Amino acid sequence: MREPEVRPKGSGGAGSIWWDSEEPPGRRPSRDRRRRPLVAALLSCLVPGAGQLYLGYRRRGAAMLVVTLLCVAVAAGLWSEPTAVSRMLVQPRSLLALLVADLGLLVFRVVAVVDAYLLARRDDVRAPAPTSGWRKGAAAGLVVILTLTAAPHAAAAFYDLQAYDLLTSVFAGEDPLWHARDRDRHQTGDGLVTAIPGRVTVLLLGGDAGPGRQGRRTDTMMVASFEVATGKVALFGLPRNMVQVPLPDGPAADYFSECRCFPRLLNELYAFAEDERPDLFPNSRRPGDGAAEELLGLPIDHYALVDLLGFVDVVDALGGVTVNNVKPLHIEVDRLGREGSQPAYEIQPGLKRLNGFTALAYSRSRETTSDYDRMQRQRCVIGSLARQTQPAEVLAAFPKLVRVLKRSVATDIPASRLPALIEAAGDQPIKVATVGFTPPTYNIGWSSGYPIPNVPKIQSAVRRMTSQAAATTPTTANPDGLGGTTATTRAPATGGGSTKPKPACTTAS
């Protein structure tokens, strides 16, 4: 039934704009009146309730506007607490709650848009039946407005699901074997569990499994230890060619009973335990953790292993990385089984923009340099990548990064522990001190040309860098990890050099 036309008394007043018409009866509505449904729908797309107010439905528009303002207030409150937002974004349950909230807000906005459109159509009581062309045009316009309304919610849901997928796959849970060893556990009120109170220590491994290689060699080994109270990070570089690294008590140490150490190169330990003798490492699927603990005298809470192809994809997804190269360097690109050319060329000193495979080659090259230069270049690349990456770039590359990280990263950090780690980091500035345990400073001799670590001296340096006083007392260790190195990976032919060498690179901002 068609509603009767009821007009307020009088022709003046502010309210007459919504009711009065200057058009004679029977004439087709003006173009402006024909546009009113789409205008109202667009206003409610931008601000739910604005279209209703435009049409004169003050109570309905005010109610929708109040809901809109409440949503804006909640968003502003979250935005003012970035740590709280970060904690939410790394919890699977919170991500699901955000997904439900996103869908609820989408439904509310769609209802506001459609309601404004229908109210404008209903109010146009004097208009004759619309033509087929007008109906199609109005329907197309409404579809466009609804698409604009839904687009940001669809994007938010997509990123939400991507983050949920990442958390529930990469951060799936603790390794029960890794935590089977008897050790002290200290838990804070926010859920942070560490071996040393107030300190989180993570072993970072870079593996190079690929075509033509048996097993995975961990050519990149670093230990990062974060002090919660000060924001200081101590980063220790472990040379890949170190031999006779001590092993923790257990079957492996008993097997190598003569020295209770791993007699081969340190970077072969992972493959040895994984492929040759897994029975010797019953308490860990990541044997490098125990060896690193024994070498440093520092309990390790977690590990993270990154495949080198994953590193390539991360650099490419972020658009490359710029480093400040100091020394001329010969590199040979290894595409790790992927199709493409494998050029060899010289990188001259200066700022250089590197893609994924070139950055990998730059980080790994040691043909005309040393392992210890290479360790520093790896830290330069990682530092430059972190400093140069902008949030917008990460957001744009996030879907690809999720695929890369799922394929290339293994860790025992459970998703439930991430909020506590973020809370520990807070918003305080991070201060990084690095040292590479390289010869001749940190070895006591050589075996077949490879350095044997001076364990007491290494552990003394670790204690100095991880003590409370280390936050204000500068360490005497060479921060570049290059003191006294030579241009080879083997023992120097003569007793060697006290002159501090030139750094291989510096971090480019």
Side-chain angles (χ1 to χ4, degrees), residues 67 116 224 247 289 372 406 424 507:
V67 175
L247 294 170
D289 302 351
Y372 318 115
K406 286 177 59 179
T507 301

Side-chain angles (χ1 to χ4, degrees), residues 320-334:
V321 61
T322 299
V323 297
N324 185 21
N325 186 50
V326 176
K327 298 178 179 179
L329 179 69
H330 178 81
I331 68 169
E332 296 180 359
V333 174
D334 182 357

